[in-house]
Amino acid sequence: MVADEAFDVVVIGSGMGGLAAARTIAQFGGERVLVLEQHYTLGGMTHEFSRAGRYRFGTGVHYLSADAGPFLDFMTDGRVQLQPLPDDFDVLHFPGFDFAVPSHRERFQSRLTELFPDEARAIQRYFGAVRRAVAGLAARNVIASFPAPLRRLGLPIVERLSPATYRPLQEQIDRSFRDPRLRAILAARWGLYGTPPASSAFGYHAAVPTTFFMNGTAHPVGGPKAINEITLEILGRQGVELRARQRVRRIVVERGRVTGVDVEDGVTGDRYHVRTATVVSAGGVRNTYALLGPELRPRWARALAELPREPSAIMLFLGLDRSPAVFGPRGENHWFMPELDDRDGARPPLGNGLLYVSFASLNNPAARFHTIEALELVDPAAFDEWRDTTGDDRPDAYRRLKEELTERLLTRLEQRWPGLRDTVAFAELATPLSFETYQRSVRGSFYGLAATPERLRSPLAGPRTPVKGLFVAGQDAWGPGVVGALAGGLMAATAALRPRQAGTMWRTIRARRPAAAPGTIWRGYLRVARIQAVTPSIRSIRLEPMDDGPLPFTFLAGQYLKIDLPVAVEPIERSYSISSGPGAGRYVDIAVKREPNGLGSGFLHDDLEVGLALRVTGPQGEFTWSAGVDAAGGTLLLIAGGVGITPLISVLSAAADANHRGRVVLLAGYRTEDEIPFRDELERLRSRLPGLEVMVFLTRPGEGWTGGRGRIGLDALCQHAVDADRVHVCGPAPMMQDVIGLLMKLGVPRTAVRTEAFVSDGGRQTRREKAHAVALAAAEAGVDRFTIDVKDGDAAFPCAPGQTVLDAANEARFPLPQSCGEGACGTCRVRVLSGRYETETRGLFSTEEIAAGWLLACQTLPTEDLLIAS
């Protein structure tokens, strides 16, 4: 990075709004775009964090509309996969009664009418008002993206034509219904945008809980990070530069126009300037105007002060040792309302207010371990006395309050689901100070500007600003929530792009996404549909699409898939050959042999369960055969060793499906008869392939074995290789090396020989794999613990082999600075003064620091006793 550089556009913040603006401006405007993110992880509220080596928690995405919608569909190129929530997706608990909200507007309206027949006409009129209020909100937000003269003309007209959009929610409810229970049901779920009924604008309530979720609800397969990963990958292809841990200190304005931004590098502490004529800020309206020079801030201080303050939240993250489904929940969300009439968002003691509870792991088929998230909206003023403290020096009173709130929330959950408390293996509470720290939101605000009539009337709530070249993206440019933030990013891009470019952008968003071309490498989730033992050491695993439809990709016989295996919070990637034929269409099979001490194969043999979703990349590989490749009509010779027969079974299936009539020879080598896989499949293939000959060789034949003995050698190859037009060899490396040498001696052209011997890239070995190896080595040496001494701290703590320094310190309750636990932030730096270890620096230290022993505690695995300084 240089002290002074230039980009066409700078985007502040990598939430969904900032990323949407960055992508569209780069794609449709052809601009060089730089995204600056103050956090150590990109993605805003689609970010996830891990705890206790197994639990993953989302920070902002709990559920989405079931059809994703055109905006999210565009941002992920249609690749996001969604798992439907139960039909009754929101269960409301009021004092004295419950109500389950169904996932379609017609059923919702019908259920209300059945319960409150005397108000049937009022219910019908209310839903008509909802439609008009949503239209008014959309019109207001679109006009807010227009130039100032059109905004001044259009916005008052919208309010006159759609007064219900601006009317307080409680006023709309009171004038519509008489029954207090019906009023309570329809005013509930204001927690989805954070402003209580007496203060919130009806347009927001009509749009978010009453419309957006009324076409079914869903959770992203793979969690919110799946949206994050896809989006960031696409931005990389668009040439957008993304930088984490970069804090913008000032938006520089000269003569009323943006000229650049001043930035501080959070890793090095260096400051630099980026010249640009366009800045899109996704950090919120209050933060955006605070970044302007002191001479400019007073101009908008009064308008900002007139906007009502935003709420924040406390959120309890729970990791369980079993599924919460045993207590009744099936993935629906639960809302606990302390009062029937909650128009003012009554503020009872912290921990006793409106509580929202979600069960992300029940709705994410890729989740191995179960979690619960419980959120209560709170006034951030309750935490003001600790606002000027940091995580490391906050007083005991703050920690005690967190413990009390955790206990209070757990008690409420236990009252609803007796026995749940006993399943809690991990608990952590976030407060407004947590959100303020990680999001840089003002006072930990959760949903951006408060969803009030004042916001709708404010000239500051929208993508345009009075400063030329400065635009606002995210929730404050459209509305609350991740999809609302995305829409705000698109509106910011609309304002920043030329009209023709913006028109192309919107036509593209509305257009139907193209289907992937055959042979395209696909990435997404498939569900484990069947697990079957084919030998004592080999399992066949069937993977099917999440929606029970056809496979989302096509493949050639002989190709393989890369699969992320969730052995812990850090998955490991392994490659497995496809054993099923390309003609299967609705499923794909792989075969996996258990390897001694194999982390991946051990998981697939011992821990994999039907129903789990695995992330798959593929198909890949050139070890392929298809009908017509052997036009000369000679022998197709297939040679396998052990589990190497897997891709050759796919080749045989493809040949059978193509009615192949040529000669096909399979030579397969194993140690014992029990290790021969796919026997039944081979018998079926023999009946479909008249030209198939199978010879099996055993190096340790048992009594009565009538097949070949020993290894596949020269004699066997002489019989079949001379007229072979094509040879496929797959198996252990020594076996393949021997066979290829013999084929060359027999004069088989090297170009006719196809080989497959892929292995996972050892250079990308994860910390988990290293830990596994360290633990095995220690066990073989008879070592069951290491000791970590702390210099000048007069302290020491034990570390189990395979445990990181940070995990060992936490287990021993020894205080080490920490934050992410994932090697991304650099907070847990320690210095090793003596002792050996394995570590990964993640690029957060200089060469000199590394030479001096500085490293990350969360990435360091001792291999003997250590002496450290923190």
Side-chain angles (χ1 to χ4, degrees):
M1 221 177 288
V2 296
D4 190 8
E5 52 188 324
F7 278 83
D8 298 323
V9 179
V10 171
V11 175
I12 303 172
S14 70
M16 195 54 67
L19 297 182
R23 174 183 175 174
T24 47
I25 292 173
Q27 180 174 347
F28 300 103
E31 307 279 22
R32 288 185 66 240
V33 180
L34 171 66
V35 177
L36 300 171
E37 168 58 50
Q38 59 84 27
H39 194 20
Y40 52 75
T41 300
L42 299 164
M45 299 303 279
T46 61
H47 164 61
E48 293 183 19
F49 66 94
S50 62
R51 289 292 185 267
R54 55 168 46 187
Y55 302 113
R56 295 203 70 92
F57 299 99
T59 54
V61 176
H62 295 98
Y63 57 139
L64 301 166
S65 177
D67 61 0
F71 296 167
L72 188 58
D73 218 22
F74 165 75
M75 279 300 293
T76 61
D77 283 357
R79 290 165 48 193
V80 65
Q81 296 170 273
L82 298 177
Q83 174 74 12
L85 268 66
D87 185 68
D88 287 349
F89 68 96
D90 272 339
V91 179
L92 315 179
H93 303 287
F94 298 96
F97 77 100
D98 297 338
F99 181 86
V101 180
S103 60
H104 292 277
R105 182 198 302 270
E106 293 76 15
R107 289 205 295 276
F108 186 27
Q109 187 171 340
S110 175
R111 186 171 295 178
L112 290 171
T113 302
E114 290 173 8
L115 287 173
F116 305 98
D118 293 343
E119 304 217 47
R121 292 187 64 184
I123 292 169
Q124 185 175 5
R125 288 194 299 269
Y126 176 81
F127 280 95
V130 164
R131 286 189 289 271
R132 292 189 294 275
V134 171
L137 180 65
R140 183 268 170 204
N141 286 343
V142 169
I143 291 174
S145 70
F146 292 173
L150 294 177
R151 294 202 306 275
R152 287 193 293 269
L153 178 65
L155 290 177
I157 295 175
V158 171
E159 184 169 4
R160 285 197 299 271
L161 294 177
S162 184
T165 300
Y166 293 74
R167 185 176 297 133
L169 167 62
Q170 194 63 55
E171 181 182 333
Q172 181 70 35
I173 293 291
D174 288 346
R175 67 164 55 187
S176 299
F177 306 109
R178 300 184 304 274
D179 193 299
R181 293 183 305 157
L182 179 56
R183 289 177 174 178
I185 291 170
L186 289 172
R189 298 186 296 154
W190 56 266
L192 287 169
Y193 52 86
T195 307
S199 305
S200 60
F202 179 57
Y204 289 110
H205 193 79
V208 182
T210 321
T211 297
F212 183 65
F213 293 111
M214 286 288 99
N215 289 314
T217 54
H219 187 276
V221 178
K225 70 182 177 69
I227 299 174
N228 186 359
E229 290 171 349
I230 294 171
T231 301
L232 294 178
E233 176 195 324
I234 294 169
L235 262 69
R237 294 203 309 266
Q238 294 291 341
V240 174
E241 183 167 338
L242 300 144
R243 297 179 189 169
R245 300 197 71 183
Q246 308 296 305
R247 186 171 182 182
V248 175
R249 290 292 185 178
R250 182 182 179 188
I251 299 172
V252 181
V253 178
E254 298 177 3
R255 298 180 180 178
R257 176 179 290 277
V258 165
T259 61
V261 292
D262 293 331
V263 189
E264 180 181 346
D265 188 321
V267 178
T268 66
D270 295 338
R271 296 199 177 195
Y272 60 99
H273 179 76
V274 181
R275 288 175 284 111
T276 184
T278 303
V279 171
V280 177
S281 174
V285 162
R286 295 189 191 276
N287 280 333
T288 299
Y289 284 93
L291 290 173
L292 297 173
E295 71 280 3
L296 296 175
R297 292 173 197 153
R299 298 187 190 179
W300 302 287
R302 181 176 178 181
L304 285 170
E306 290 174 349
L307 289 170
R309 286 292 179 177
E310 302 82 32
S312 185
I314 56 173
M315 186 179 291
L316 180 62
F317 300 97
L318 299 176
L320 311 184
D321 62 13
R322 74 189 77 165
S323 171
V326 299
F327 303 103
R330 291 294 179 267
E332 71 281 358
N333 308 296
H334 289 258
W335 297 81
F336 296 86
M337 269 67 64
E339 297 182 8
L340 190 62
D341 188 342
D342 193 25
R343 65 183 59 209
D344 295 317
R347 302 295 184 196
L350 289 173
N352 292 317
L354 183 148
L355 183 65
Y356 165 80
V357 182
S358 67
F359 302 86
S361 61
L362 293 180
N363 298 312
N364 177 13
R368 278 193 66 201
F369 304 105
H370 286 285
T371 59
I372 296 176
E373 294 165 23
L375 180 148
E376 178 181 320
L377 292 165
V378 300
D379 185 346
F383 295 83
D384 279 351
E385 62 181 291
W386 304 296
R387 177 145 282 107
D388 294 330
T389 64
T390 62
D392 293 332
D393 65 3
R394 285 183 180 136
D396 289 341
Y398 175 74
R399 287 189 286 272
R400 284 196 301 271
L401 176 60
K402 289 182 65 172
E403 292 171 358
E404 292 169 5
L405 293 177
T406 298
E407 179 63 25
R408 204 168 294 167
L409 295 178
L410 281 173
T411 299
R412 295 178 70 180
L413 298 180
E414 177 71 14
Q415 289 171 347
R416 180 67 193 180
W417 298 291
L420 180 67
R421 180 194 292 269
D422 293 336
T423 72
V424 175
F426 170 84
E428 182 174 320
L429 186 81
T431 72
L433 303 186
S434 309
F435 299 119
E436 187 173 343
T437 298
Y438 290 108
Q439 299 174 11
R440 295 287 178 189
S441 55
V442 176
R443 294 167 59 82
S445 63
F446 207 72
Y447 287 117
L449 293 174
T452 61
E454 291 86 350
R455 168 178 171 167
L456 290 175
R457 297 185 181 104
S458 173
L460 302 183
R464 297 271 184 177
T465 75
V467 178
K468 292 181 181 179
L470 176 61
F471 305 93
V472 172
Q475 295 183 112
D476 290 354
W478 184 272
V482 169
V483 175
L486 198 167
L490 297 177
M491 298 312 297
T494 300
L497 291 169
R498 296 185 179 91
R500 180 176 296 179
Q501 295 168 338
T504 303
M505 179 189 84
W506 285 107
R507 286 192 297 272
T508 302
I509 292 171
R510 289 193 297 265
R512 184 176 178 178
R513 61 183 183 270
T520 299
I521 293 179
W522 180 84
R523 181 172 295 168
Y525 287 87
L526 298 177
R527 189 192 306 272
V528 177
R530 188 185 73 183
I531 303 171
Q532 190 174 41
V534 293
T535 75
S537 63
I538 298 176
R539 273 187 161 190
S540 175
I541 299 168
R542 175 160 294 179
L543 303 172
E544 293 181 349
M546 301 299 300
D547 59 1
D548 299 323
L551 282 173
F553 54 83
T554 60
F555 65 92
L556 296 174
Q559 289 191 299
Y560 65 89
L561 301 174
K562 289 186 175 181
I563 303 179
D564 288 352
L565 303 179
V567 297
V569 293
E570 295 181 62
I572 60 172
E573 184 181 79
R574 291 290 185 264
S575 299
Y576 297 105
S577 291
I578 299 171
S579 61
S580 52
R586 304 183 77 86
Y587 64 86
V588 62
D589 292 338
I590 61 172
V592 181
K593 181 181 179 181
R594 180 193 289 275
E595 299 293 342
N597 301 322
L599 193 58
S601 66
F603 164 76
L604 292 173
H605 276 258
D606 299 333
D607 300 319
L608 186 68
E609 296 180 353
V610 170
L612 184 70
L614 297 175
R615 191 169 187 243
V616 172
T617 302
Q620 293 176 275
E622 302 300 324
F623 187 67
T624 59
W625 182 92
S626 58
V629 298
D630 52 350
T635 299
L636 171 60
L637 178 58
L638 310 176
I639 305 172
V643 76
I645 194 174
T646 302
L648 304 183
I649 291 293
S650 180
V651 169
L652 292 174
S653 296
D657 290 342
N659 295 315
H660 183 74
R661 290 294 180 258
R663 184 171 180 241
V664 182
V665 176
L666 171 64
L667 307 178
Y670 306 97
R671 290 183 300 174
T672 66
E673 191 172 358
D674 288 343
E675 295 180 8
I676 302 174
F678 301 111
R679 290 190 179 197
D680 294 341
E681 186 67 21
L682 282 172
E683 287 302 316
R684 287 191 291 270
L685 288 167
R686 285 185 190 210
S687 66
R688 298 176 61 201
L689 283 169
L692 175 61
E693 303 172 32
V694 178
M695 295 184 63
V696 177
F697 297 80
L698 299 183
T699 57
R700 301 176 186 175
E703 185 177 348
W705 174 251
T706 58
R709 294 174 180 270
R711 301 182 186 279
I712 301 171
L714 188 61
D715 291 342
L717 293 174
C718 283
Q719 300 176 46
H720 308 292
V722 176
D723 64 343
D725 288 337
R726 192 177 183 89
V727 183
H728 287 237
V729 186
C730 187
M735 166 263 182
M736 293 178 59
Q737 185 175 1
D738 291 345
V739 167
I740 292 170
L742 294 173
L743 291 171
M744 298 304 99
K745 287 183 180 180
L746 293 171
V748 177
R750 189 62 179 86
T751 55
V753 180
R754 299 295 182 95
T755 59
E756 186 77 290
F758 59 85
V759 294
S760 296
D761 183 1
R764 298 173 64 186
Q765 190 180 40
T766 66
R767 184 185 72 208
R768 175 66 175 170
E769 291 175 278
K770 290 179 181 178
H772 187 62
V774 168
L776 287 174
E780 291 176 0
V783 176
D784 61 2
R785 60 180 279 176
F786 302 121
T787 298
I788 300 177
D789 287 294
V790 184
K791 183 181 180 181
D792 299 329
D794 193 25
F797 53 90
C799 178
Q803 193 174 35
T804 67
V805 171
L806 182 61
D807 286 342
N810 288 341
E811 190 171 292
R813 298 186 180 277
F814 181 85
L816 281 181
Q818 57 190 282
S819 184
C820 73
E822 300 173 316
C825 68
T827 302
C828 62
R829 44 187 283 150
V830 296
R831 188 182 180 192
V832 174
L833 303 177
S834 67
R836 289 182 296 182
Y837 53 86
E838 291 195 15
T839 193
E840 167 62 61
T841 63
R842 300 291 174 94
L844 294 176
F845 300 100
S846 67
T847 303
E848 294 77 12
E849 287 175 316
I850 294 172
W854 286 102
L855 41 73
L856 299 175
C858 70
Q859 298 295 307
T860 300
L861 301 160
T863 56
E864 62 180 25
D865 294 345
L866 299 183
L867 173 64
I868 70 170
S870 60

